[in-house]
Amino acid sequence: TDAIDLLTVTGDATLNNIAYKKMTGVNETTGTATPAGFFTGALNNNNIRIDGSKLRVSGTISSGASLPTPIEITINDFVFFKEGAAVGDALDSTSGTLNQTVNMNGSNVPLTIDYVLTSKGDGTLSSYTVNGNTYQNISKSKMVLSIKVTGTFSGIPLPITLLDQQDVLVSNQYYAKNVGMIY
């Protein structure tokens, strides 16, 4: 479903003696306080800062309703953008394991979710047009959430792989110099 999210700076925050900007997102299409997009949702209620040519985020990133069971990942100073990064340039990565229990056909099944969240440069464009507006000097970035899910079922001695390691969310962002994220 197409939706327009709006992400704004709503205040200042200090974490570990470092200044950040507090971000708040809304879904302008529905008028709700829950952004529709993964990336806007990832920055919503989190803190970002500029570090040279990089943007960093600290807080909790949630997959939200994009997956049947939301995955929440706590990050600290995660680099999600670097101006002028070439295609494939590794910007940052974090990994870990989450445990959740879900109801499958009336049985509670403990799940183990191994995740890897990465950010990469995705090159540059001289211009890009969004909603009839053309922007110049575009830097592209990509965030990818990859997971593997195993479940433990009653009567089976070993966990069973329910989802092999794969990319479940890919977020592409386009940033215009002196403007910010445009797409």
Side-chain angles (χ1 to χ4, degrees):
T1 307
D2 285 342
I4 296 174
D5 286 343
L6 176 66
L7 187 66
T8 57
V9 174
T10 55
D12 296 315
T14 302
L15 304 171
N16 299 321
N17 295 317
I18 300 172
Y20 290 82
K21 296 294 183 184
K22 182 75 169 179
M23 306 302 292
T24 302
V26 296
N27 180 328
E28 292 228 311
T29 304
T30 62
T32 62
T34 304
F38 165 70
F39 187 71
T40 310
L43 295 184
N44 188 32
N45 297 318
N46 285 326
N47 306 292
I48 66 169
R49 72 180 179 99
I50 298 171
D51 180 13
S53 63
K54 300 173 185 173
L55 292 176
R56 296 178 177 269
V57 61
S58 289
T60 301
I61 290 180
S62 175
S63 67
S66 302
L67 298 174
T69 301
I71 296 172
E72 294 187 346
I73 301 168
T74 301
I75 53 174
N76 184 28
D77 247 9
F78 186 87
V79 176
F80 65 91
F81 171 79
K82 180 180 178 192
E83 186 175 8
V87 174
D89 280 357
L91 304 181
D92 214 337
S93 180
T94 188
S95 60
T97 300
L98 303 169
N99 295 299
Q100 295 183 359
T101 300
V102 296
N103 188 299
M104 295 179 132
N105 297 326
S107 296
N108 286 330
V109 177
L111 300 180
T112 300
I113 303 166
D114 297 310
Y115 69 85
V116 179
L117 178 68
T118 58
S119 59
K120 303 174 188 176
D122 201 24
T124 60
L125 298 171
S126 59
S127 66
Y128 190 75
T129 302
V130 178
N131 295 329
N133 297 313
T134 300
Y135 299 91
Q136 308 300 317
N137 300 317
I138 308 302
S139 290
K140 300 185 326 179
S141 189
K142 182 180 290 191
M143 281 182 66
V144 179
L145 176 61
S146 177
I147 65 172
K148 174 184 178 183
V149 180
T150 56
T152 305
F153 294 86
S154 178
I156 301 174
L158 298 173
I160 295 175
T161 298
L162 301 173
L163 181 69
D164 286 325
Q165 189 78 34
Q166 61 186 273
D167 298 346
V168 293
L169 290 171
V170 177
S171 174
N172 298 293
Q173 305 106 44
Y174 291 41
Y175 296 84
K177 188 172 181 87
N178 299 321
V179 175
M181 187 170 60
I182 58 168
Y183 178 80

